[in-house]
Amino acid sequence: RGVTPTAAARVLLATATEALGALDAGRRELDRLRTGDTGTLRMATGGTTLRHFMVHPLARFRERHPGITFEYVSATSTGQCLEALRADRADLAFVTIGAAGGELDQRPVVRTPWVLVASALGQVAGVDPDAPVGPAELRSLRAIGMPAHSTSRGQLDEQLAMRGVRLDYTAIVDDPDTAVMLAELSVGQAIVPALWAHDLERHGGLRARPVDGLDPV
């Protein structure tokens, strides 16, 4: 004739039903994480990199993965980006590749040569404004560069030193954008990765000449 649950049984049934429902929801959440349909992507990089090169890729990423929350982790140097990774404040970072240590996986995305960005008004007569410039020709520059602790500045100075060249910096700035702007104002000449000279058409008075003999950054 059937059974009637006791008060204790009714409590147990309600608890078990709730627990099984929570497990089922957890499985569904894990499936979404595995397929990339939910979660948070934390990316560390500099603000100029984000503004110039990441906006459109992020828009496409959002179209493909609308359930993913994007979190920008602000950093002003490669060192800060790597520290954010080590401290688990970021999942990935876009940096200038250097010696990061074996615990981090570094994969090149872009290799870009060095270029000298200078005002077209300051071009030497009879010299092709698009011709490569040799390292020795950089000795007389009023160079605009990055801070001494930056990875790109360290790589540039090291390579030039191997060729007997030491730059005389007339201005130190935090990002290549500012260096290019100061070159446009004839404060000096900027030596930057070519990636940062991608929009010189906006700066009608500037020309970029490749620097010979240096490894891409």
Side-chain angles (χ1 to χ4, degrees):
R1 297 172 181 169
V3 295
T4 301
T6 63
R10 287 193 293 272
V11 170
L12 181 61
L13 175 61
T15 302
T17 301
E18 182 179 344
L20 290 172
L23 284 172
D24 189 52
R27 290 193 190 97
R28 290 196 300 271
E29 187 71 11
L30 288 174
D31 287 339
R32 284 195 292 269
L33 281 173
R34 186 168 55 249
T35 58
D37 291 333
T38 190
T40 300
L41 174 66
R42 303 168 300 168
M43 186 183 76
T45 194
T48 49
T49 301
L50 180 71
R51 184 168 63 253
H52 279 296
F53 309 115
M54 302 304 299
V55 171
H56 295 298
L58 282 172
R60 292 194 295 270
F61 179 83
R62 289 287 299 156
E63 290 176 359
R64 296 177 187 173
H65 307 284
I68 298 292
T69 299
F70 172 75
E71 180 181 338
Y72 167 54
V73 180
S74 178
T76 59
S77 67
T78 289
Q80 287 186 10
C81 288
L82 299 181
E83 180 56 34
L85 289 175
R86 293 189 179 100
D88 194 30
R89 296 194 306 271
D91 303 306
L92 57 87
F94 282 86
V95 301
T96 301
I97 288 184
E103 81 280 13
L104 296 177
D105 178 26
Q106 297 189 89
R107 303 183 186 185
V109 176
V110 174
R111 287 185 175 90
T112 180
W114 292 95
V115 295
L116 173 65
V117 178
S119 169
L121 296 176
Q123 297 292 343
V124 178
V127 175
D128 181 354
D130 298 316
V133 56
E137 298 176 63
L138 304 178
R139 287 194 177 96
S140 59
L141 286 185
R142 292 177 297 118
I144 304 168
M146 300 300 105
H149 65 268
S150 71
T151 303
S152 59
R153 163 77 180 275
Q155 292 180 9
L156 176 64
D157 285 351
E158 181 180 358
Q159 290 194 65
L160 290 177
M162 292 171 59
R163 293 158 177 81
V165 176
R166 181 180 180 276
L167 292 178
D168 181 18
Y169 288 98
T170 190
I172 304 297
V173 295
D174 282 340
D175 60 84
D177 259 1
T178 306
V180 170
M181 290 174 60
L182 290 179
E184 187 176 16
L185 295 173
S186 299
V187 172
Q189 298 83 36
I191 304 176
V192 298
L195 190 65
W196 296 102
H198 70 286
D199 61 348
L200 288 190
E201 65 275 4
R202 293 174 48 234
H203 309 271
L206 289 179
R207 301 299 293 267
R209 297 173 62 189
V211 181
D212 263 352
L214 300 182
D215 294 334
V217 62

